[in-house]
Amino acid sequence: MQNLIWKIAGTVAAVAAASAAVVFVDKLMQKQQDKIDELIRNNPETEPEVPQQPEQEKETRVYCAVPQPVGADVPNPNPVMAKPIETPRTEDGKIDVSRLCDPADFCDWDDLGCQS
C-alpha cells in the first residue's frame, strides 16, 4: 500500500514540475513576443515591402523560354507546341473530311529516294 502511495505522489510531483516548466516557458515566450511587437511598432522600416506588379505582368509570366534557332539549320516545328488549326467545315457545320489533308502537306516519296 505504501508503495502505491509513493508512486501516486511521484506522479503528482512530476505533473506539477512539468506544468510549472510549461508556465515558465510560456511567460518567457510572451516576454519575447512583446519585445518583438514593440520593435515592429517603433521601427516601421522592418515591414517587408511587396512590390506591386501590374495585372498584365502577372498574367504573362514566362517560366521557360524556347530558343529559336536561326539560319539554315532550323529543325521542323514541334507539332505539340503548334497552335491548333481551324478544321474545315461544310455549310451545315459538319467537319469536311475531304479538305482535312492537303496533298501539299505530304512529300513525294519518289523524290526522297524511297521507291517501292
Side-chain angles (χ1 to χ4, degrees):
M1 186 71 156
Q2 287 181 344
N3 197 12
L4 181 64
I5 293 174
W6 283 108
K7 286 182 182 181
I8 293 174
T11 304
V12 170
V15 169
S19 61
V22 167
V23 169
F24 174 75
V25 169
D26 184 49
K27 287 184 181 183
L28 185 66
M29 295 297 287
Q30 187 62 40
K31 286 180 184 178
Q32 290 295 327
Q33 186 63 42
D34 290 342
K35 287 180 184 179
I36 292 170
D37 291 341
E38 188 66 30
L39 285 173
I40 290 174
R41 274 187 238 118
N42 290 339
N43 193 1
E45 295 175 3
T46 58
E47 295 177 3
E49 293 183 18
V50 178
Q52 297 294 329
Q53 296 178 350
E55 291 297 322
Q56 292 176 347
E57 195 173 315
K58 288 181 183 177
E59 294 173 3
T60 60
R61 287 188 178 170
V62 176
Y63 292 105
C64 64
V66 178
Q68 297 295 327
V70 290
D73 295 333
V74 177
N76 293 336
N78 185 351
V80 174
M81 298 176 72
K83 295 180 181 176
I85 58 170
E86 186 176 327
T87 55
R89 301 207 177 254
T90 59
E91 294 174 359
D92 58 350
K94 295 181 180 178
I95 296 176
D96 187 9
V97 293
S98 64
R99 294 190 297 155
L100 276 179
C101 299
D102 186 18
D105 293 340
F106 301 97
C107 298
D108 185 9
W109 291 100
D110 293 333
D111 292 345
L112 296 174
C114 299
Q115 299 175 358
S116 55

